Amino acid sequence: MNTPFTFKHTQPTQMDATKKYPALFLLHGMGSNEDDLPQLVQGFQEQCHIFSLRGPIAQKPGYAFFTIQEMDQPDRAVFDKVLVALQCFLLEAIDEYQIDPHQVFVLGFNQGAVLAQSLAFVMGNLVTGIVALSGYTPKFVTEEYAIRSIEHLQAFISHGDYDYIIPSQLGIESKEIFEQFGATVTFKKYPDGHGVTADNLRDLVAFLAQQLQQDLQ
């Protein structure tokens, strides 16, 4: 693929050359890397393509996808560029690999969740569903971008009640925004801070399993 992103890819086991398969695209949080999130979806390796991308910006101890001006205000020039690059990545992957374009899911934590939610709006029905963990939806995405319908979208949005990095109120606002635009939202809060608890992991896995089962029928 012609992409600026470093990434890791695993493909379904025992692939049939005549079939196409679901795809999960994983976007990590600030200061992490492409090895962080695959553990959350390891149970889907046999049936899905899994792409885990590394942010292009060095951010100790790892990487970031974009810089920020304030807590919920990404640096717009950087954000715009990375969002375009991510759209290109998804489109190229769908074209080059045996991916079912009706089974494309984006999962992100922190910055990755912000991007997952933004991709849903700008790519429309090219994204089937999202899992957004501890993120938010930048106001400029719905107010200034040319967005597409998300009435088809299945969204899992979760947040910790005691998140000291990204306040839980921003997660609630994301839920409300996605519902306002017609998406089907599963929203969960947990008595935790900025992270993924065992209950959170169980719930997101159940969400993905349900969506994949429905899509495969």
Side-chain angles (χ1 to χ4, degrees), residues 79-132:
F79 191 88
D80 288 353
K81 289 181 180 178
V82 77
L83 196 63
V84 169
L86 285 171
Q87 292 177 70
C88 292
F89 186 95
L90 265 67
L91 292 172
E92 286 189 35
I94 292 169
D95 185 56
E96 293 188 22
Y97 295 87
Q98 290 175 240
I99 293 175
D100 183 343
H102 303 295
Q103 298 186 72
V104 174
F105 296 85
V106 184
L107 182 155
F109 173 77
N110 181 269
Q111 284 197 347
V114 176
L115 290 164
Q117 292 173 90
S118 301
L119 284 168
F121 277 109
V122 298
M123 298 191 74
N125 60 13
L126 294 173
V127 173
T128 311
I130 62 168
V131 174

Side-chain angles (χ1 to χ4, degrees), residues 60-76:
K60 293 183 178 179
Y63 301 86
F65 283 96
F66 55 87
T67 51
I68 57 174
Q69 297 176 339
E70 299 176 24
M71 180 254 303
D72 61 344
Q73 293 295 322
D75 184 315
R76 181 66 182 272

Side-chain angles (χ1 to χ4, degrees), residues 59-210:
Q59 178 74 43
K60 293 183 178 179
Y63 301 86
F65 283 96
F66 55 87
T67 51
I68 57 174
Q69 297 176 339
E70 299 176 24
M71 180 254 303
D72 61 344
Q73 293 295 322
D75 184 315
R76 181 66 182 272
V78 177
F79 191 88
D80 288 353
K81 289 181 180 178
V82 77
L83 196 63
V84 169
L86 285 171
Q87 292 177 70
C88 292
F89 186 95
L90 265 67
L91 292 172
E92 286 189 35
I94 292 169
D95 185 56
E96 293 188 22
Y97 295 87
Q98 290 175 240
I99 293 175
D100 183 343
H102 303 295
Q103 298 186 72
V104 174
F105 296 85
V106 184
L107 182 155
F109 173 77
N110 181 269
Q111 284 197 347
V114 176
L115 290 164
Q117 292 173 90
S118 301
L119 284 168
F121 277 109
V122 298
M123 298 191 74
N125 60 13
L126 294 173
V127 173
T128 311
I130 62 168
V131 174
L133 312 172
S134 303
Y136 59 88
T137 307
K139 289 184 178 180
F140 59 75
V141 170
T142 54
E143 293 178 354
E144 301 178 31
Y145 280 1
I147 61 174
R148 300 184 180 184
S149 172
I150 59 167
E151 292 184 354
H152 68 287
L153 188 78
Q154 297 288 332
F156 179 94
I157 299 174
S158 67
H159 225 103
D161 284 322
Y162 312 115
D163 193 330
Y164 60 92
I165 301 295
I166 299 175
S168 61
Q169 179 59 34
L170 294 179
I172 295 171
E173 291 174 5
S174 285
K175 165 192 176 290
E176 294 171 348
I177 290 169
F178 274 83
E179 289 179 338
Q180 174 188 342
F181 280 89
T184 301
V185 181
T186 299
F187 179 70
K188 299 283 187 177
K189 290 202 301 175
Y190 304 93
D192 193 55
H194 192 69
V196 180
T197 66
D199 287 342
N200 196 172
L201 176 58
R202 179 200 64 218
D203 291 342
L204 75 87
V205 167
F207 169 82
L208 284 172
Q210 180 182 25

